[in-house]
Amino acid sequence: DQQVKQNSPSLSVQEGRISILNCDYTNSMFDYFLWYKKYPAEGPTFLISISSIKDKNEDGRFTVFLNKSAKHLSLHIVPSQPGDSAVYFCAASAHEYGNKLVFGAGTILRVKS
Amino acid sequence: DAGVIQSPRHEVTEMGQEVTLRCKPISGHDYLFWYRQTMMRGLELLIYFNNNVPIDDSGMPEDRFSAKMPNASFSTLKIQPSEPRDSAVYFCASSRTVPLSNQPQHFGDGTRLSIL
């Protein structure tokens, strides 16, 4: 039972344009959502997070949007840079579950220069 | 500040052998997590500790897997005996408790395990 889904295995974007990565979840108990970036041969690196009490969180070029009614979140990267090329994982946790993270399968982002 | 440190980075061994993976969490972090990443199952949580105590080991696949955290700065994940299907990248992560605040987990660079 995939509780966190990233339905796009890959995304290709031109440098300077916006990258939009999507994530859907099924468990309404999730109250904290995170995005991680992963380069080959490295561990996932925390990028940005959002609590369920918010609908938007922004950090520089990265913005995460949360739509609780649709159980959907997205990560916007503007402007996209070649160094953003990586695998992006969406993750969710619930306080009731001890803050265990449930990860999506990941989306490979390629930013072309 | 040093991040989460895992060793070894790579391990190749023959099936039936004991494998020990090691992790040093970030100083001051009171949660430690062990994950496994495979092509088929993605990133899955195996076990996690809070203040050195195992809290949830429901993700540990079999009795061949065991994990310990003898102190706040060290944890091990053991597989005995190892099997080819255990081949994967194993990640350790840590996080800290902040009252009324969610905190992200920080990951090490993983151990790539190959069982022949």
Side-chain angles (χ1 to χ4, degrees):
Chain A
D1 176 27
Q2 265 190 304
Q3 297 187 69
V4 178
K5 300 178 185 179
Q6 293 178 256
N7 292 320
S8 297
S10 64
L11 175 67
S12 186
V13 172
Q14 197 67 34
E15 180 180 7
R17 305 295 288 269
I18 185 172
S19 295
I20 300 177
L21 297 114
N22 293 302
C23 178
D24 297 293
Y25 62 97
T26 57
N27 192 334
S28 58
M29 297 296 288
F30 287 144
D31 55 15
Y32 184 51
F33 304 88
L34 309 90
W35 284 95
Y36 282 82
K37 178 171 72 174
K38 185 182 181 305
Y39 293 121
E42 295 183 10
T45 302
F46 169 69
L47 199 54
I48 192 169
S49 64
I50 188 167
S51 166
S52 60
I53 62 174
K54 294 185 175 181
D55 55 17
K56 177 183 175 181
N57 189 25
E58 191 172 350
D59 183 1
R61 296 185 297 114
F62 303 91
T63 303
V64 56
F65 295 92
L66 175 63
N67 182 334
K68 281 185 294 183
S69 61
K71 294 192 177 67
H72 177 83
L73 65 155
S74 60
L75 174 68
H76 293 209
I77 307 174
V78 182
S80 301
Q81 301 173 353
D84 296 329
S85 298
V87 180
Y88 288 78
F89 291 97
C90 170
S93 69
H95 186 74
E96 284 78 2
Y97 304 151
N99 293 321
K100 297 190 296 184
L101 284 181
V102 179
F103 281 86
T107 297
I108 301 171
L109 174 65
R110 294 188 184 92
V111 180
K112 299 177 288 186
S113 56
Chain B
D1 286 342
V4 175
I5 300 172
Q6 292 187 245
S7 65
R9 289 298 312 276
H10 304 274
E11 175 87 18
V12 180
T13 192
E14 294 186 346
M15 66 177 294
Q17 298 297 307
E18 177 179 290
V19 173
T20 299
L21 311 181
R22 298 172 175 79
C23 176
K24 176 178 169 56
I26 294 172
S27 177
H29 283 195
D30 52 349
Y31 281 90
L32 184 139
F33 306 81
W34 282 101
Y35 290 87
R36 179 172 67 176
Q37 184 182 30
T38 60
M39 288 294 292
M40 291 297 295
R41 301 176 66 89
L43 261 169
E44 52 180 345
L45 178 67
L46 300 177
I47 185 172
Y48 78 96
F49 296 81
N50 180 221
N51 291 321
N52 313 337
V53 176
I55 302 300
D56 186 341
D57 65 354
S58 59
M60 295 286 260
E62 298 172 35
D63 291 345
R64 298 183 296 106
F65 285 69
S66 63
K68 293 182 180 179
M69 192 164 185
N71 57 63
S73 59
F74 184 65
S75 176
T76 60
L77 178 67
K78 280 191 180 180
I79 308 173
Q80 168 62 19
S82 57
E83 296 183 4
R85 60 192 168 122
D86 302 330
S87 299
V89 181
Y90 291 80
F91 289 103
C92 176
S94 69
S95 67
R96 64 189 179 108
T97 302
V98 176
L100 303 178
S101 171
N102 291 301
Q103 294 295 310
Q105 295 176 22
H106 298 270
F107 285 73
D109 283 337
T111 295
R112 181 173 294 276
L113 177 63
S114 297
I115 308 298
L116 307 177

